[in-house]
Amino acid sequence: MRLFKAISFTLIFIFTGCTRGQLFTQNSSVSINVGQNPSKVVAADLNKNGFNDLIITTSAGLSVLLNDGKGNFTNVTGSPFAAGNQPADIAVADFNNDSNPDVAIPNHESNEVTILFSDGNGIFRQAPYHSLEMDFNPHAHSVAAGDFNNDGNIDLVLTSFLGAELFIVYGDGNGNFSSKPVRYAVPHFPYRNVIVNDIDKDGNDDIITPANNRNSITVLLGDGKGNFSPAKYSPVAIGENPFFVTNGDFNNDKFLDIAAGNFDAGTLTVLKGNKENNFDQTESKTFRIGQKPVCMATGDLNNDGIIDLACVNYASNDISILLGDKDNLFKDQVLNIPVGNAPYGVAIADLNGDNKADIVTANFESNNITILFNTGKN
């Protein structure tokens, strides 16, 4: 995946180690009101000052908070920005090749996708063709960005969950996307997320999405020309009602692993990657986390050079932190920290300029975000 073009905003930090108990506490957290029903949150440097700002989807639109570099946030002029009828997800990438991060937002209460351009100062405006209308069944819940045909322009993949399809639309580099999607059938349901990464290490973007009622994940391999086909091992059994998937090298063996939050079971299942670039079900592990786990984010939280994971639990109002382990995928102990009511979105980034990975959650029912500042020692 071309990270400059698709702009990966989940940050990884590598420093010396610290113990789990020093990482995050309620005393090191702050809450900020952001509007009604915040659902997703992304960290990105929107005004090119070297600090991570925050983008949050709410029922009123896109809320944008600018960072002073010390972890203090203020609303940008004009926020919230209109973003369609009930924003459901957000993908951040440079759609029009002006070096500013733009956003694509599927709308939960319509069959449209809203496209907004950034001006480089944190202000968003509607793109000339700002609304993509497609025959989703019934609407798109999720979106991810990548360069699927290696033309240097950002493309989008979206879920049509009741239709058991993924929709791919190709970008032209000017911020326009094809109005007629290329469709790929996948098992039911490609529900609340879809991710893009190079799974088979051939230099081309691949796609992963959960099959919610098939207790599995779907892996589609890209050929770099815009075509996708199921991996020979796909679908892969991974747990009960997987709601959200993510990947990372959680044991530092240079192979991508897969993690899925199992919504009804309150567990997290991890599949180990290997040299065949597939996922070994015989080496899976399952962890008890919180109630109704939803979104996840990855980053190095304890500064040991291994990727860790944070998962928000919608029904228990907390976040579960799992630390990567070179011998065991994740350490056995799970750290649960209370946040706001019904946390749904989560992101990991350095939010106060101390070169440590912090966590931010979007809390759907308390209408705020919670920032957990990392108190670990460098």
Side-chain angles (χ1 to χ4, degrees):
M1 184 174 181
R2 299 182 179 185
L3 294 182
F4 173 76
K5 297 292 294 181
I7 311 179
S8 175
F9 293 114
T10 297
L11 304 185
I12 300 170
F13 302 91
I14 301 177
F15 302 97
T16 57
C18 63
T19 63
R20 179 191 304 265
Q22 295 173 320
L23 291 178
F24 300 98
T25 68
Q26 285 182 279
N27 294 333
S28 67
S29 69
V30 299
S31 295
I32 303 172
N33 293 329
V34 293
Q36 188 173 10
N37 301 138
S39 56
K40 290 296 182 72
V41 57
V42 175
D45 182 5
L46 299 177
N47 54 0
K48 301 179 182 178
N49 63 358
F51 308 135
N52 282 303
D53 309 304
L54 296 175
I55 310 171
I56 304 106
T57 55
T58 73
S59 60
L62 198 71
S63 290
V64 177
L65 302 178
L66 296 182
N67 188 355
D68 68 355
K70 299 178 181 179
N72 304 305
F73 291 86
T74 56
N75 276 297
V76 72
T77 301
S79 175
F81 301 97
N85 193 351
Q86 291 294 327
D89 196 11
I90 181 170
V92 181
D94 181 7
F95 302 147
N96 57 354
N97 290 316
D98 65 354
S99 299
N100 297 321
D102 309 310
V103 297
I105 301 168
N107 301 131
H108 191 277
E109 299 304 314
S110 72
N111 59 355
E112 297 177 337
V113 181
T114 298
I115 307 296
L116 301 179
F117 289 165
S118 169
D119 69 349
N121 295 301
I123 296 174
F124 287 85
R125 60 181 174 84
Q126 290 185 339
Y129 300 96
H130 62 274
S131 181
L132 296 174
E133 186 171 351
M134 288 174 271
D135 57 340
F136 299 110
N137 184 5
H139 44 253
H141 272 135
S142 307
V143 60
D147 182 2
F148 302 136
N149 54 1
N150 288 325
D151 65 353
N153 302 319
I154 291 298
D155 312 308
L156 299 174
V157 56
L158 300 120
T159 59
S160 179
F161 78 102
L162 287 181
E165 291 180 304
L166 297 181
F167 285 16
I168 293 177
V169 292
Y170 296 99
D172 67 358
N174 295 311
N176 306 310
F177 293 90
S178 55
S179 59
K180 294 184 178 180
V182 178
R183 302 162 184 260
Y184 288 91
V186 294
H188 281 80
F189 297 125
Y191 194 39
R192 284 290 184 172
N193 87 306
V194 58
I195 59 175
V196 173
N197 210 332
D198 182 7
I199 300 301
D200 56 1
K201 299 181 180 180
D202 65 351
N204 301 317
D205 284 339
D206 308 311
I207 296 171
I208 305 175
T209 190
N212 185 260
N213 73 337
R214 298 292 177 89
N215 299 334
S216 63
I217 59 170
T218 301
V219 179
L220 298 179
L221 300 180
D223 66 358
K225 299 178 182 179
N227 305 305
F228 290 86
S229 58
K232 62 182 180 180
Y233 52 85
S234 178
V236 185
I238 199 167
E240 184 179 350
N241 301 119
F243 187 91
F244 196 98
V245 298
T246 191
N247 63 0
D249 183 5
F250 303 126
N251 58 352
N252 211 32
D253 65 355
K254 311 305 180 186
F255 302 115
L256 285 174
D257 312 305
I258 285 276
N262 304 310
F263 187 76
D264 292 330
T267 59
L268 180 90
T269 299
V270 191
L271 299 180
K272 183 179 179 182
N274 52 40
K275 63 183 180 180
E276 285 77 29
N277 298 317
N278 56 29
F279 303 99
D280 193 344
Q281 294 170 267
T282 66
E283 296 193 56
S284 67
K285 293 190 67 175
T286 298
F287 299 84
R288 174 67 59 184
I289 47 176
Q291 298 175 34
K292 307 299 183 185
V294 282
C295 298
M296 295 181 284
T298 58
D300 185 1
L301 297 172
N302 63 339
N303 306 324
D304 65 351
I306 304 176
I307 300 299
D308 310 308
L309 182 147
C311 179
V312 285
N313 305 304
Y314 188 84
S316 51
N317 301 328
D318 58 7
I319 185 168
S320 296
I321 296 173
L322 294 89
L323 298 182
D325 185 344
K326 65 183 180 63
D327 298 317
N328 220 12
L329 286 175
F330 287 113
K331 298 183 186 300
D332 290 334
Q333 184 182 358
V334 176
L335 176 65
N336 293 316
I337 300 175
V339 287
N341 294 336
Y344 191 88
V346 60
I348 294 175
D350 177 12
L351 298 177
N352 58 353
D354 63 357
N355 292 324
K356 291 181 288 189
D358 308 306
I359 299 174
V360 56
T361 67
N363 308 311
F364 189 82
E365 291 183 359
S366 51
N367 300 326
N368 62 6
I369 60 171
T370 298
I371 300 175
L372 297 170
F373 290 111
N374 194 327
T375 58
K377 296 180 180 180
N378 286 346

